[in-house]
Amino acid sequence: MRIIAFYSPKGGVGKTAAAVNMAYLASRENISTLLWDLDPQGAASFYLAGAEMVKGRKLSKLLEGKSPIARFIHEDVYPNLDFIPAHSSFRNFDIKLEQEEGHNALKDLLAPLSEDTSLVILDCPPTLSRLTEQVLEVADKVYVPMVPTWLSLNSWNQLREFVKDKKLGSKKLRPFFSMVDRRKNLHREILAQGSELFGHQVPAAVPYASAVERMGEEGQPLELLAPNSPAAVEFRKLWVSIRKDLWAR
């Protein structure tokens, strides 16, 4: 079982849209995939199937071992794609994890999935916290969406310092550009400097697009909603890079 995370210390950068689209593209290739929405705001539920269809469960029973993780899973939201939706109680995740000193509780929660799941995708809240530490530790790769602005670059540098300080493995970080507006000079300038700024950069630059915003309204991944859109093309590039990263031969 491979585990990847979509994470940014800065909100509003297209993280959840990327996570949902990668989960759908993986499942379409017959990869048994689980998407876990760890962000209590629950945006992935809107993007996947509409808020009314997918409801989360309270976190406490899972962390206390009173309820198995299987009960939190909504199976086959799409073929080969299972989903653990967020719940407002997920805001207490960090408090619970602080009480579990000495081991990675998130890793323990994910372990039972390995028999039936090939790929776990974690959609993470934009915080630097105990949960962030455990995600960064357990994930094989961490994909970091970056809007091409200096503020986002500052957040990227903060993340690298955090990972270095906690010894969580900076080589697993995979930045990619998101919400790109090529009409803006600054966006074009930073895009041109991508390799120099990041070293290892995923070859995808997802544009700012109304089609992505419509995902929440329609409750569908972009591959179903607007497969010929420029954003869908870039998401497919991102998936190809992820697949090579995880299953390189």
Side-chain angles (χ1 to χ4, degrees):
M1 186 175 74
R2 301 288 192 271
I3 302 171
I4 64 174
F6 283 83
Y7 169 77
S8 171
K10 188 176 186 302
V13 296
K15 167 186 60 65
T16 297
V20 168
N21 281 292
M22 294 309 100
Y24 180 77
L25 288 170
S27 69
R28 197 179 65 165
E29 295 192 8
N30 294 319
I31 296 171
S32 178
T33 304
L34 171 75
L35 173 63
W36 189 353
D37 186 0
L38 292 168
D39 190 337
Q41 296 183 64
S45 293
F46 289 92
Y47 285 164
L48 261 186
E52 294 303 318
M53 179 177 174
V54 185
K55 295 289 188 180
R57 295 166 62 98
K58 289 184 179 180
L59 181 69
S60 56
K61 290 185 178 181
L62 175 62
L63 291 178
E64 293 168 3
K66 296 179 180 179
S67 183
I69 195 169
R71 292 187 180 176
F72 289 74
I73 296 174
H74 289 250
E75 296 182 340
D76 291 327
V77 176
Y78 290 99
N80 299 307
L81 177 53
D82 296 341
F83 181 47
I84 300 180
H87 188 275
S88 59
S89 64
F90 281 23
R91 66 184 184 275
N92 299 318
F93 219 144
D94 283 307
I95 297 173
K96 297 292 185 180
L97 293 179
E98 289 291 349
Q99 299 169 359
E100 299 285 337
E101 290 291 339
H103 73 285
N104 191 313
L106 182 61
K107 182 178 181 179
D108 293 344
L109 293 174
L110 291 170
L113 302 174
S114 61
E115 291 185 8
D116 300 312
T117 306
S118 298
L119 176 64
V120 172
I121 298 178
L122 304 174
D123 181 25
C124 308
T127 58
L128 285 173
S129 62
R130 181 63 176 155
L131 175 59
T132 304
E133 288 183 43
Q134 295 206 3
V135 166
L136 291 170
E137 182 181 344
V138 75
D140 295 296
K141 306 292 179 185
V142 179
Y143 294 88
V144 185
M146 300 281 302
V147 179
T149 65
W150 297 117
L151 186 59
S152 283
L153 288 174
N154 183 58
S155 296
W156 164 250
N157 289 327
Q158 289 177 346
L159 174 59
R160 287 198 304 173
E161 288 301 315
F162 179 80
V163 170
K164 182 179 179 181
D165 181 61
K166 299 293 183 179
K167 297 180 173 59
L168 295 170
S170 59
K171 291 184 178 180
K172 67 174 63 176
L173 298 180
R174 295 288 187 269
F176 67 95
F177 286 118
S178 178
M179 301 183 73
V180 174
D181 187 346
R182 294 180 185 271
R183 297 171 298 179
K184 296 181 178 180
N185 290 334
L186 178 59
H187 282 216
R188 293 197 303 271
E189 290 171 6
I190 293 179
L191 280 171
Q193 299 176 47
S195 297
E196 179 183 342
L197 291 169
F198 301 128
H200 190 294
Q201 179 192 349
V202 173
V206 181
Y208 181 84
S210 59
V212 178
E213 294 181 343
R214 283 174 52 215
M215 285 175 56
E217 179 183 350
E218 302 292 338
Q220 288 184 320
L222 200 58
E223 196 66 21
L224 294 176
L225 183 63
N228 297 320
S229 65
V233 171
E234 293 300 315
F235 277 132
R236 288 195 290 271
K237 288 182 183 178
L238 179 58
W239 166 243
V240 169
S241 178
I242 290 172
R243 188 179 59 201
K244 289 180 180 178
D245 243 352
L246 296 178
W247 290 285
R249 295 182 179 179

